[in-house]
Amino acid sequence: DFDSKKKRKVAEIYQALNSDPIDVAALRRMAISEGGLLTDEIRCKVWPKLLSVNTDDLPPLPGKELREDNKDYQQVLLDVRRSLRRFPPGMPDDQREGLQEELIDIILHVLKRNPQLHYYQGYHDIVVTFLLVVGDRLATALVEKLSTHHLRDFMDPTMDNTKHILNYLMPIIDQVNPEVHDFMQSAEVGTIFALSWLITWFGHVLSDFRHVVRLYDFFLACHPLMPIYFAAVIVLHREQEVLDCECDMASVHHLLSQIPQDLPYETLISRAGDLFVQFPPSELAREAAQQQAERTAASTFKDFELASVQQRPDTVLRQRFRERLRGEERTKSILTKPRTNRFVKLAVMGLTVALGAAALAVVKSALEWAPKFELQIFP
């Protein structure tokens, strides 16, 4: 029954967290499979592992001086003030206002530390999700890592890379349902209806917070382009509504931009994973007119994922932290290529047996991209 399945899954998650090295492949499998990571308490432990964030070495909380002479402050302030519906209904005003202040500080902190990143409207919808789940200090570290990896393309000076990612939407639809694809092409609807879905990881358009964090479990465990696959399966799920619509841009855009709140999320997550395996980004790149592959987050996902599988469990990190305080020297491990390959291959085999195509894609996709930066192991 459901309760026994949940208990087994919780046990497997904690077993993976306490493995040495941490079994990130298993954590990804748990995040993808039905129900995701189940509770916010578990997310606080697993999300940092999926993003390779060392929870024993978090940055200090940002100070209020960030707001002085900050070019993004006024826009961030306006967006955060408009974010009332992103907080749980019934939350006391003073508590919500306190969280909004923390939200502003987190965003400004990440932007100040990473001047190559540019704020965009909708970014706060992602940050507030992390704030509500893990609290301000851990959210700051997770959002910074996410912003320099999965979200990096949305934070360029221009929207060129964001538009390019949107260009994958129609080729995916065409592979599965040419009739829907041709109808949308005839209506000249384009892909702008999915922009807010993509750049907020659906946080802006879904009213139920449970569904938002479930999708975040999925996206954090997957390739950076998975949100566009999920956008495609939403359109495909609404096939009949689309085909019954007037074939003009205004009508189809209005229909698709109003996302249903009662979607079968688990079914769509599974289908998105299947489509990723059937039609990986590398096969769709030509149709998507990829011009700047070296600049997209997808191009550096291999090294990001390989680094994540070398993390140490929290118990080990805490022990080593205490040793450092006592003044003892610690020996840094060196990542060797054969060991990396062995872990990745084991993860691939484990995912294949346990979940099938969707989970296999999580690790398999990592092998398709050439490394661009040096892998680091937490000491």
Side-chain angles (χ1 to χ4, degrees), residues 288-317:
Q290 187 166 7
Q291 300 296 323
Q292 295 174 304
E294 291 299 313
R295 294 184 58 198
T296 60
S299 66
T300 57
F301 187 62
K302 176 181 178 179
D303 31 287
F304 174 76
E305 177 139 21
L306 294 184
S308 72
V309 304
Q310 298 298 326
Q311 299 172 86
R312 321 309 297 180
D314 287 344
T315 53
V316 174
L317 287 172

Side-chain angles (χ1 to χ4, degrees), residues 78-203:
L78 290 173
D79 289 346
V80 169
R81 282 178 175 172
R82 289 194 293 258
S83 66
L84 296 182
R85 71 179 192 85
R86 290 303 318 279
F87 294 89
M91 176 180 282
D93 288 346
D94 57 345
Q95 183 182 359
R96 174 186 50 75
E97 290 168 1
L99 288 169
Q100 287 179 306
E101 293 299 311
E102 293 174 1
L103 178 57
I104 292 170
D105 289 339
I106 292 171
I107 293 172
L108 296 180
H109 176 78
V110 172
L111 294 174
K112 182 176 181 179
R113 282 171 52 89
N114 301 273
Q116 78 279 13
L117 301 178
H118 298 262
Y119 178 76
Y120 64 89
Q121 288 184 277
Y123 180 68
H124 70 287
D125 284 300
I126 289 183
V127 180
V128 72
T129 302
F130 283 88
L131 174 61
L132 291 173
V133 173
V134 306
D136 55 350
R137 193 173 179 204
L138 182 52
T140 301
L142 297 183
V143 168
E144 180 168 12
K145 178 61 73 73
L146 193 73
S147 300
T148 55
H149 290 82
H150 292 66
L151 305 180
R152 191 183 71 234
D153 301 325
F154 309 145
M155 305 188 77
D156 278 349
T158 71
M159 287 189 65
D160 290 348
N161 279 338
T162 302
K163 292 175 182 176
H164 167 64
I165 295 171
L166 282 169
N167 285 342
Y168 279 85
L169 181 67
M170 295 304 289
I172 297 169
I173 294 172
D174 189 31
Q175 293 285 349
V176 180
N177 193 323
E179 184 181 6
V180 170
H181 171 271
D182 293 348
F183 181 90
M184 292 174 67
Q185 291 288 73
S186 296
E188 299 182 342
V189 68
T191 58
I192 198 68
F193 65 86
L195 177 62
S196 65
W197 305 357
L198 181 67
I199 64 175
T200 69
W201 277 12
F202 297 84

Side-chain angles (χ1 to χ4, degrees), residues 190-367:
T191 58
I192 198 68
F193 65 86
L195 177 62
S196 65
W197 305 357
L198 181 67
I199 64 175
T200 69
W201 277 12
F202 297 84
H204 183 72
V205 294
L206 298 181
S207 58
D208 193 326
F209 192 70
R210 294 173 304 163
H211 298 151
V212 175
V213 294
R214 173 66 187 100
L215 286 181
Y216 277 43
D217 292 342
F218 179 47
F219 296 150
L220 286 170
C222 289
H223 190 282
L225 290 181
M226 190 59 79
I228 201 67
Y229 282 80
F230 192 79
V233 299
I234 290 178
V235 176
L236 292 165
H237 174 71
R238 304 181 70 189
E239 168 192 358
Q240 200 55 54
E241 289 180 82
V242 173
L243 296 177
D244 288 345
C245 189
E246 292 292 329
C247 190
D248 62 75
M249 187 271 288
S251 300
V252 180
H253 176 84
H254 178 74
L255 171 71
L256 291 175
S257 62
Q258 304 298 312
I259 191 169
Q261 298 297 311
D262 59 347
L263 294 168
Y265 292 95
E266 297 298 339
T267 300
L268 297 183
I269 285 170
S270 178
R271 193 177 187 194
D274 290 341
L275 291 184
F276 185 95
V277 175
Q278 289 178 262
F279 314 110
S282 56
E283 292 185 8
L284 300 176
R286 182 172 297 177
E287 287 187 73
Q290 187 166 7
Q291 300 296 323
Q292 295 174 304
E294 291 299 313
R295 294 184 58 198
T296 60
S299 66
T300 57
F301 187 62
K302 176 181 178 179
D303 31 287
F304 174 76
E305 177 139 21
L306 294 184
S308 72
V309 304
Q310 298 298 326
Q311 299 172 86
R312 321 309 297 180
D314 287 344
T315 53
V316 174
L317 287 172
R318 283 192 290 270
Q319 179 181 351
R320 293 184 175 183
F321 182 70
R322 288 192 295 269
E323 291 173 356
R324 183 176 65 185
L325 291 180
R326 290 195 298 266
E328 296 181 13
E329 294 186 355
R330 295 176 299 169
T331 304
K332 292 186 178 181
S333 301
I334 303 299
L335 180 61
T336 60
K337 193 165 187 271
R339 190 181 183 208
T340 300
N341 289 340
R342 178 165 62 87
F343 283 130
V344 174
K345 289 175 182 175
L346 285 173
V348 171
M349 288 188 286
L351 291 176
T352 306
V353 172
L355 189 64
L360 169 61
V362 173
V363 176
K364 184 169 183 272
S365 65
L367 304 178

